[in-house]
Amino acid sequence: MQYLPNILFAIALIAGIGFFVINIRKLTRNIKLGKDINRTDNKSERWKNMIRIALGQSKMVRRPFSGFLHVIVYVGFIIINIEVLEIIVDGLLGTHRVFKGFLGDAFYGFLIGTFEILAALVFVAVILFWTRRNVANIKRFLSREMKGWPKNDGNFILYFEMVLMTLFLIMNAADPAFQQAGIGNPISKFIVPLFDGFSTETVHTIERTAWWIHILGILVFLNYLYYSKHLHILLAFPNTFFANLKPKGQFNNLASVTNEVKLMMDPDADPYATPAQGEEDVVPEKFGASEVTDLNWVQLLNAYTCTECGRCTSACPANLTGKKLSPRKIMMDTRDRLEEVGRNIDANGGAFKDDGKQLLNDYIKPEELWACTSCNACVEECPVNIDPLSIIIDMRRYLVMEESAAPQELNAMMTNIENNGAPWQYNQQDRLNWAKEK
Amino acid sequence: MIVPTMAEMMAQGKQPEVLFWVGAAGSYDDRAKKISRAFVKILHAANVNFAVLGTEESSTGDAAKRAGNEFLFQMQAIMNIEVLNAYEVKKIVTCDPHSFNTLKNEYPELGGKYEVFHHTQFIQNLIAERRLKIDENTLQGKRVTFHDPCYLGRANEVYESPRDLIRRLGVNLTEMKRSKRTALCCGAGGAQMFKDAEAGDKEVNVLRTEDALETKPEIIATGCPYCNTMMTDGIKFKEKETEVKVKDIAELIAEANNL
């Protein structure tokens, strides 16, 4: 019976991590539904980006207030994992504060003391975050797309962190041996008086309860990630690594179009030629994107990485002037649809069964897509290098090249380019008239 | 005004130092034509041996590409590249950040590899090579604010060249609250120039003009013909056209040097 806690702990740990792994495999399967794109060139620059932007939070701190609070929570999260490691070892081996022994009192005290201060700072930061989200009337938290789950999700994370930090401090405060040692208890020592008059057993029970809820809470939180915008704490790293390195103004040249155009402009090409052997049954590639599976895997990774912070939307000129476009919504819609496609595949034994829906129209409306000025403000703003613009352009390509569904004025503009070599209806022979005028 | 064409140059067996890519706006739009002429005056003043394609120039396809018509874009690109390569063009300068971006970034993959300059970069080089000097007395002390074009700024990270030239005018350069990488679009990019805006509560160019007016400028400097049109319209909308002028940097330099 004396090993019961160890066994229970091991079961909880395996279940928690196992469930997480299952979801991560689902996540990678879904991301791989996207088209292939090579993002492994320039490895050194990619590593640098990842270290600077994801690890170093360089784009987060461009907005100093929320950036600073975020850094506190982030550092707290990273460092406190050392504490979590001790909890895991203790839990499995039935030891108590196992690191204290081999790290020595001084260093161990320094570590735990640091964690306590961070825990308190995180607690304060989280309250400020909560206030920003719920009281401060910040426009980007009140957008249309932030109703319901996205709003609740943001708050749940904050509550979770508050509870976990509190439990950590209570656990330390309710550990008389640790308190008597007087090492690393700069915050928890102020909680100790709350237990005055409690019996030794009660204090011990409080300590054990806090300890258990703390670690179980962490395991639950780990599994909450997959369902939440909080997934960014993991995906920010690959996302910044695989991000676009080319100039932001450089849009890709669709290779499928290049082949067609070259063929069209080749005077020797025979338009009535029968397809070469083996090519008869090849379904021609769709131009642009109307569904998540038409996007490439980096765009899908982007969608899972999005934290819904709305910095993109708050910088978007279309959104600032009251138009329907919100780059954040583009990313949220992409993720929602991808999740739906994933669930469809799971429910139908590994193959997607047509559900009569797609990303275009059912999630993202043409009105949103046509409001974009392609100014790259959203791309520039994203703290983790997400590229909503690439999705917008791919969907415009579908609207124009597959459906001929551009707004009327744009059709006129394109006809002019085709006929006159300019977006306006002027004669190409008049192109040099400006030089003769005064 | 003497504006030689590549065809004329070739007939004389000459190769110009640089091709001036005028662009559709610079060729046909009444306001933008003035920018083209101002830039040509600068080229002449610096004794730059240049030429244009004239009637052989066609749309780069930027607006078509950003509207989603990749077919039309690539047809334009491949036609233009054939012409440019036939004339063995190596260096291109343009006053249009959209042409600049497309020629510089999107043409190479399709076989068109050139050294491409925005006119502010090109003029900066002329000054560095001591071929051009800017008179800092004509406009001295004027309050000027610069509106970053998205396709020059964020798209290609050219923030300093235009500012460097403005400072050389001896003017008082003030920055808008949104500038450089956080600059607000003028509202014309991504083919918006050619269509009505979607329903909203304001036009983008009006919002951007408000940004500019906050700096109490006498001149709003631009580096893009489309931005120029949008800001000019914004100023008219705000009924400020008597107090505030919208000018391309090339026009300001031509004016400062009495060209």
Side-chain angles (χ1 to χ4, degrees), chain A residues 44-331:
Chain A
S44 66
E45 201 181 333
R46 293 186 179 284
W47 281 111
K48 260 186 247 163
N49 268 351
M50 189 178 94
I51 289 165
R52 208 163 38 86
I53 298 166
L55 195 68
Q57 310 256 305
S58 58
K59 290 180 88 178
M60 257 329 275
V61 294
R62 282 180 183 179
R63 297 197 186 182
F65 185 71
S66 55
F68 175 67
L69 294 182
H70 188 268
V71 167
I72 291 177
V73 176
Y74 166 72
V75 172
F77 167 78
I78 300 225
I79 297 192
I80 223 143
N81 279 311
I82 304 174
E83 169 64 21
V84 174
L85 195 65
E86 184 186 43
I87 291 180
I88 290 173
V89 177
D90 279 348
L92 289 173
L93 304 180
T95 48
H96 184 64
R97 295 194 183 269
V98 64
F99 288 0
K100 188 163 167 263
F102 69 84
L103 292 177
D105 276 7
F107 188 53
Y108 184 78
F110 169 75
L111 275 183
I112 300 291
T114 313
F115 299 160
E116 286 204 353
I117 290 166
L118 271 172
L121 286 174
V122 168
F123 196 90
V124 174
V126 163
I127 288 174
L128 289 171
F129 273 141
W130 186 89
T131 313
R132 282 165 63 77
R133 276 184 178 270
N134 299 283
V135 186
N137 275 327
I138 293 171
K139 196 171 164 256
R140 65 187 159 109
F141 296 129
L142 305 171
S143 315
R144 266 183 289 266
E145 69 267 21
M146 294 310 284
K147 304 269 184 308
W149 168 249
K151 183 183 170 73
N152 295 336
D153 180 25
N155 281 331
F156 287 162
I157 294 160
L158 297 176
Y159 301 143
F160 238 113
E161 287 175 23
M162 274 190 239
V163 171
L164 288 179
M165 293 304 118
T166 311
L167 286 166
F168 170 67
L169 292 173
I170 290 178
M171 176 183 109
N172 281 356
D175 186 346
F178 175 71
Q179 289 298 330
Q180 271 150 33
I183 47 159
N185 60 346
I187 306 290
S188 61
K189 67 179 173 195
F190 296 109
I191 304 174
V192 177
L194 290 178
F195 308 137
D196 274 354
F198 286 30
S199 69
T200 317
E201 288 84 65
T202 313
V203 173
H204 184 68
T205 310
I206 291 172
E207 193 271 338
R208 280 295 88 189
T209 311
W211 188 93
W212 272 99
I213 302 178
H214 183 65
I215 188 65
L216 291 177
I218 285 169
L219 289 174
V220 171
F221 195 51
L222 177 72
N223 281 289
Y224 179 72
L225 293 186
Y226 176 77
Y227 303 95
S228 156
K229 75 192 194 75
H230 219 50
L231 202 45
H232 78 280
I233 62 169
L234 300 173
L235 296 187
F237 294 89
N239 198 69
T240 46
F241 184 85
F242 293 118
N244 181 30
L245 297 177
K246 292 179 179 149
K248 290 191 184 68
Q250 180 178 345
F251 294 8
N252 64 334
N253 295 318
L254 283 186
S256 51
V257 171
T258 312
N259 296 336
E260 300 268 335
V261 170
K262 289 227 162 105
L263 200 67
M264 253 179 335
M265 299 182 86
D266 178 5
D268 299 327
D270 174 6
Y272 303 109
T274 45
Q277 195 77 36
E279 275 182 19
E280 299 96 333
D281 303 326
V282 179
V283 183
E285 206 182 327
K286 185 160 143 188
F287 297 121
S290 63
E291 180 57 294
V292 284
T293 44
D294 303 327
L295 298 170
N296 66 52
W297 64 266
V298 173
Q299 291 169 316
L300 300 184
L301 172 65
N302 279 181
Y304 272 120
T305 308
C306 176
T307 320
E308 303 168 12
C309 69
R311 290 187 181 199
C312 52
T313 293
S314 71
C316 171
N319 194 276
L320 282 169
T321 51
K323 281 124 195 147
K324 288 261 164 61
L325 174 62
S326 162
R328 167 172 59 188
K329 180 178 171 293
I330 301 285
M331 301 318 300

Side-chain angles (χ1 to χ4, degrees), chain B residues 3 11 15 41 68-69 199 219 253:
Chain B
V3 182
Q15 181 72 19
K41 286 177 193 168
N69 198 335
I219 297 167
I253 293 172

Side-chain angles (χ1 to χ4, degrees), chain A residues 62 246-255 257-262 264-265 287 314-318 320-324 367 369-377 380-381 389 393 396-398 400-401 407 409-410 413-415 417-418 420-424 426-435 437-438, chain B residues 1 3 5 20 22-29 33 36-37 40 52 54-59 63-76 78-79 101 105-106 109-110 150-151 154-157 159 178 181-182 184-185 187 189-192 194-204 207 226:
Chain A
R62 282 180 183 179
K246 292 179 179 149
K248 290 191 184 68
Q250 180 178 345
F251 294 8
N252 64 334
N253 295 318
L254 283 186
V257 171
T258 312
N259 296 336
E260 300 268 335
V261 170
K262 289 227 162 105
M264 253 179 335
M265 299 182 86
F287 297 121
S314 71
C316 171
L320 282 169
T321 51
K323 281 124 195 147
K324 288 261 164 61
E367 184 187 348
L369 300 170
W370 290 119
C372 173
T373 68
S374 75
C375 76
N376 265 304
E380 181 73 51
E381 278 302 308
L389 178 54
I393 293 299
R396 279 189 181 181
R397 285 170 172 171
Y398 178 84
V400 171
M401 291 192 285
E409 305 117 299
L410 287 189
M413 178 271 286
M414 293 187 283
T415 309
I417 292 183
E418 246 180 286
N420 313 321
W424 296 286
Y426 290 108
N427 192 327
Q428 190 157 2
Q429 291 311 308
D430 294 337
R431 252 201 192 255
L432 200 50
N433 289 3
W434 62 272
E437 293 161 19
K438 167 89 188 83
Chain B
M1 182 179 282
V3 182
T5 64
F20 171 28
V22 186
S27 306
Y28 296 122
D29 181 84
K33 283 194 259 186
S36 305
R37 285 196 289 269
V40 166
V52 298
T55 55
E56 289 183 280
E57 190 185 292
S58 187
S59 161
K65 187 178 184 91
R66 268 141 266 271
N69 198 335
E70 182 72 8
F71 264 106
L72 183 52
F73 163 74
Q74 291 200 14
M75 297 228 294
Q76 289 297 123
I78 287 169
M79 277 183 339
N101 176 68
N105 296 322
E106 289 163 357
E109 234 177 63
L110 300 169
C150 306
Y151 275 86
R154 268 191 299 271
N156 289 290
E157 293 179 16
Y159 300 114
R178 291 183 263 232
R181 58 168 187 75
T182 60
L184 186 75
C185 175
Q192 297 293 341
F194 307 102
K195 66 184 252 301
D196 286 329
E198 274 57 35
D201 39 51
K202 199 180 252 186
E203 296 295 332
V204 175
L207 183 62
Y226 299 98

